[in-house]
Amino acid sequence: KITTASGADVMTSNETQTENALLCYPLRQDSCPKLQRLTVVKVAMYVFMVLMILTTVFGNLLIIISISHFKQLQSPTHLIVRSLAASDCLLGSLVMPQSM
């Protein structure tokens, strides 16, 4: 700190303010304040996520079954679409539930 002629303290640019920093430690349960949501909001978020997961999985399964069943759709382009649908189906069934 630098004190001016009027007696006011001035902070220089190389000093940092650490009293405003909020540090979180993973081994201490009370180190970070938790955001509490209303129960209605939690239920709405879970319902929305479940609907998105079901839409993703069953929509991609429909694409996989359709391309596999119909001979007209078995072309190299549709093979790429089927592999993308398979990877998206795995994403919807394995990754998206973990994000809830």
Side-chain angles (χ1 to χ4, degrees), residues 28-61:
R28 292 190 60 202
Q29 296 294 330
D30 59 343
S31 68
C32 285
K34 303 287 186 221
L35 177 66
Q36 297 295 326
R37 292 189 174 102
L38 295 173
T39 306
V40 175
V41 175
K42 286 182 189 179
V43 169
M45 288 172 58
Y46 277 111
V47 167
F48 178 73
M49 282 297 292
V50 167
L51 288 175
M52 292 305 298
I53 290 169
L54 291 174
T55 303
T56 301
V57 171
F58 288 119
N60 286 303
L61 282 176

Side-chain angles (χ1 to χ4, degrees), residues 8-97:
D9 289 335
V10 177
M11 184 175 284
T12 60
S13 62
N14 61 355
E15 294 179 5
T16 59
Q17 290 181 331
T18 57
E19 62 268 3
N20 292 337
L22 182 62
L23 303 175
C24 297
Y25 301 101
L27 298 177
R28 292 190 60 202
Q29 296 294 330
D30 59 343
S31 68
C32 285
K34 303 287 186 221
L35 177 66
Q36 297 295 326
R37 292 189 174 102
L38 295 173
T39 306
V40 175
V41 175
K42 286 182 189 179
V43 169
M45 288 172 58
Y46 277 111
V47 167
F48 178 73
M49 282 297 292
V50 167
L51 288 175
M52 292 305 298
I53 290 169
L54 291 174
T55 303
T56 301
V57 171
F58 288 119
N60 286 303
L61 282 176
L62 181 66
I63 291 171
I64 293 169
I65 292 169
S66 298
I67 292 175
S68 298
H69 183 264
F70 295 107
K71 296 290 181 186
Q72 301 93 328
L73 298 177
Q74 293 180 0
S75 67
T77 305
H78 289 105
L79 178 66
I80 295 171
V81 171
R82 186 173 64 183
S83 68
L84 286 172
S87 66
D88 197 29
C89 187
L90 288 173
L91 178 100
S93 61
L94 299 176
V95 176
M96 287 176 72

